[in-house]
Amino acid sequence: MPDKKKVLIINRRAPYGRSNARDSLDVALTCGVFEMPISILFADDGVFQLIGNHQAGDIGQKNLSANLAALPMYDIDQLFVCTESLNTHGLTFDSLEHSATQLDQTAIQQLIQDHDVVLTF
Amino acid sequence: MALHTLNQPPGNIECLKRCLSALSEGDALLLIEDGVLASLPAYAAHYDQIKVNISLYALQADLAARGLNDLKDNRFIVVDDGGFVDLACEHDKVVSWY
């Protein structure tokens, strides 16, 4: 059996307003079930997904924050966040509930090169 | 006087800029859905540039969903769905920026 492809998921959209964030989680968890190596990068509005204390019940949605917290159970622990995007939105690393490795533009280029498949949401 | 609603996240900064430049004296701006993310202090400079007197609101359920209750700029008044209806009734038109 050939080596499993390394998959990088790039999250660029804010949670809840569109379905992108939830869709990307579905793909990540599906890949996790098949034990494919997954990395997830949060950039642009996607970094808002890493803010904690979500209470989405009043807008009729499920809490995305809880799903993110469950990723390690699927052996998905390669989470990255774009430093430039954090700075743009005035968010500090400490204000994030979910820990992710900070990457600059050069490191993001390398991250993309290191993966076989890149899916953007 | 108009009620302006904005539902776009900061990634669509042109929508925020266009909306703010369209505000007239006495108007109100209500951030809804992903628009509530524009209540973060990082975007304060955009509101500082508004030349007219306006009121700033953000929708409670959308703030809470995104974990922004303690992170938002304090100049935004938090309203619930009933408050949204009140604002719509108090103004003679609603302008949606999306």
Side-chain angles (χ1 to χ4, degrees):
Chain A
M1 192 171 157
D3 285 343
K4 284 173 176 165
K5 289 189 175 180
K6 292 179 70 180
V7 179
L8 171 64
I9 290 172
I10 302 180
N11 270 313
R12 291 192 53 252
R13 300 294 186 189
Y16 305 114
R18 301 175 178 225
S19 67
N20 299 54
R22 180 157 299 285
D23 295 344
S24 83
L25 268 176
D26 287 344
V27 170
L29 295 178
T30 304
C31 292
V33 167
F34 289 96
E35 297 179 341
M36 297 168 76
I38 313 284
S39 303
I40 305 179
L41 168 66
F42 298 87
D44 301 321
D45 284 345
V47 300
F48 293 127
Q49 296 178 36
L50 298 172
I51 295 176
N53 196 23
H54 290 197
Q55 299 157 35
D58 283 352
I59 59 169
Q61 297 203 39
K62 286 184 183 167
N63 197 334
L64 270 172
S65 200
N67 292 43
L68 276 183
L71 286 176
M73 287 194 289
Y74 293 81
D75 287 328
I76 300 171
D77 51 12
Q78 296 296 303
L79 301 185
F80 302 93
V81 60
C82 170
T83 303
E84 188 183 352
S85 303
L86 286 180
N87 293 340
T88 299
H89 297 307
L91 296 174
T92 60
F93 191 69
D94 294 337
S95 67
L96 305 179
E97 177 172 276
H98 305 281
S99 64
T101 306
Q102 288 194 67
L103 299 181
D104 61 16
Q105 284 317 120
T106 310
I108 289 172
Q109 292 164 11
Q110 188 63 48
L111 187 73
I112 292 170
Q113 289 174 31
D114 290 344
H115 287 78
D116 302 304
V117 179
V118 180
L119 304 172
T120 55
F121 290 88
Chain B
M1 293 194 303
L3 170 67
H4 298 255
T5 63
L6 176 87
N7 79 343
Q8 291 293 298
N12 189 353
I13 201 74
E14 294 306 318
C15 194
L16 175 66
K17 287 182 183 174
R18 182 61 56 204
C19 166
L20 295 184
S21 68
L23 298 173
S24 297
E25 183 79 19
D27 282 357
L29 169 63
L30 171 63
L31 303 181
I32 61 173
E33 302 169 15
D34 283 346
V36 296
L37 292 161
S39 70
L40 287 170
Y43 299 95
H46 292 281
Y47 304 100
D48 292 341
Q49 288 169 5
I50 301 170
K51 299 281 197 294
V52 292
N53 290 310
I54 59 148
S55 308
L56 295 170
Y57 301 92
L59 201 58
Q60 195 273 331
D62 287 320
L63 285 171
R66 293 159 182 81
L68 300 181
N69 284 339
D70 299 328
L71 298 176
K72 67 167 177 52
D73 191 327
N74 281 332
R75 76 181 102 181
F76 284 89
I77 299 164
V78 179
V79 295
D80 59 12
D81 289 351
F84 189 172
V85 174
D86 289 340
L87 284 169
C89 294
E90 289 163 6
H91 293 81
D92 57 21
K93 72 190 77 164
V94 177
V95 183
S96 299
W97 299 92
Y98 61 95

